[in-house]
Amino acid sequence: DGGITQSPKYLFRKEGQNVTLSCEQNLNHDAMYWYRQDPGQGLRLIYYSQIVNDFQKGDIAEGYSVSREKKESFPLTVTSAQKNPTAFYLCASISRSGSNNEQFFGPGTRLTVL
Amino acid sequence: AQSVTQLDSQVPVFEEAPVELRCNYSSSVSVYLFWYVQYPNQGLQLLLKYLSGSTLVKGINGFEAEFNKSQTSFHLRKPSVHISDTAEYFCAVRTLGGGADGLTFGKGTHLIIQP
């Protein structure tokens, strides 16, 4: 079955550490996205990538970094520069061809800073 | 830039009663509209979408929504709710012809079904 996987499901980080969240999709989608979800805030876009080796900042990119070396993979690194990283992180993807326009979401990673 | 407003952060409803979750958007260009549902500690699942054509859109789990261009609204409705409908519901928009920057989401409405 095609879909998006995110790992780990739960992640704990000590202050000052960098951590990397994994996102993999086998939907052959071109574009991938990272969102951050906080209670009562909805989803906010961190980074997105429309094609391999290219990515763009979203609304809240500070303290985060990404890479897109393969079409299937779009890992997100939460750096020590991110002052309040505790949140639920969602990865999504969409096909750039056709007219479906539906974003598919992974199951999410909950990051907690200790 | 576009924006989405979900007018109610929480909606309590008795089981088997009807429900409407409100969504208004603003955009200077035409948009695609979506409703997603999120169960606790899970990702988002698409309920329904409006791309073009009929303004009444039917989705999964008995939900439907009506696109009203003059009122810039896309309210979600269900005639009879079930306990299993308890979840967070998100309205989202994406502009036509672009969308490289992803979806713009409302802040969500928590639907609480009371027995």
Side-chain angles (χ1 to χ4, degrees), chain A residues 3-105:
Chain A
I4 302 176
T5 57
Q6 291 186 243
S7 62
K9 187 171 178 63
Y10 298 97
L11 184 59
F12 298 91
R13 188 193 94 169
K14 293 181 180 179
E15 287 201 24
Q17 280 184 335
N18 292 354
V19 290
T20 297
L21 283 59
S22 169
C23 176
E24 304 276 332
Q25 55 98 359
N26 61 3
L27 299 165
N28 199 32
H29 284 173
D30 305 290
M32 297 184 73
Y33 304 82
W34 274 105
Y35 294 92
R36 170 181 171 140
Q37 185 178 18
D38 297 281
Q41 294 292 318
L43 278 71
R44 292 180 289 169
L45 183 65
I46 305 172
Y47 266 98
Y48 66 96
S49 168
Q50 292 182 270
I51 196 170
V52 173
N53 292 323
D54 184 63
F55 47 83
Q56 306 294 330
K57 292 181 179 180
D59 301 319
I60 56 166
E62 186 175 351
Y64 299 97
S65 65
V66 294
S67 62
R68 187 85 186 276
E69 297 177 1
K70 298 187 299 181
K71 188 176 184 178
E72 304 79 22
S73 178
F74 192 40
L76 173 74
T77 296
V78 185
T79 75
S80 57
Q82 171 49 238
K83 298 304 179 190
N84 185 23
T86 294
F88 192 51
Y89 291 86
L90 287 161
C91 179
S93 69
I94 189 170
S95 174
R96 297 294 291 170
S97 61
S99 59
N100 192 341
N101 277 284
E102 176 185 347
Q103 275 200 356
F104 290 82
F105 284 82

Side-chain angles (χ1 to χ4, degrees), chain B:
Chain B
Q2 61 270 22
S3 67
V4 179
T5 301
Q6 290 184 243
L7 296 162
D8 305 298
S9 59
Q10 279 193 121
V11 173
V13 181
F14 285 108
E15 195 172 14
E16 299 183 6
V19 69
E20 179 179 82
L21 306 183
R22 297 180 291 171
C23 172
N24 287 89
Y25 70 93
S26 68
S27 175
S28 56
V29 298
S30 296
V31 296
Y32 298 129
L33 295 155
F34 305 82
W35 274 100
Y36 283 86
V37 60
Q38 184 182 35
Y39 300 101
N41 290 312
Q42 295 186 26
L44 274 66
Q45 179 183 6
L46 183 69
L47 274 178
L48 47 79
K49 60 187 175 186
Y50 172 79
L51 303 182
S52 65
S54 172
T55 57
L56 182 63
V57 180
K58 293 189 183 299
I60 62 171
N61 300 342
F63 284 93
E64 63 180 33
E66 186 152 21
F67 170 55
N68 188 318
K69 189 174 182 179
S70 63
Q71 296 186 4
T72 61
S73 68
F74 191 54
H75 300 333
L76 180 71
R77 292 190 284 261
K78 186 170 183 177
S80 175
V81 296
H82 188 266
I83 286 285
S84 59
D85 292 323
T86 297
E88 193 84 16
Y89 291 80
F90 292 96
C91 182
V93 302
R94 184 181 185 198
T95 54
L96 266 67
D101 56 348
L103 296 170
T104 299
F105 286 87
K107 293 189 175 182
T109 297
H110 188 195
L111 179 61
I112 302 167
I113 310 301
Q114 302 167 327

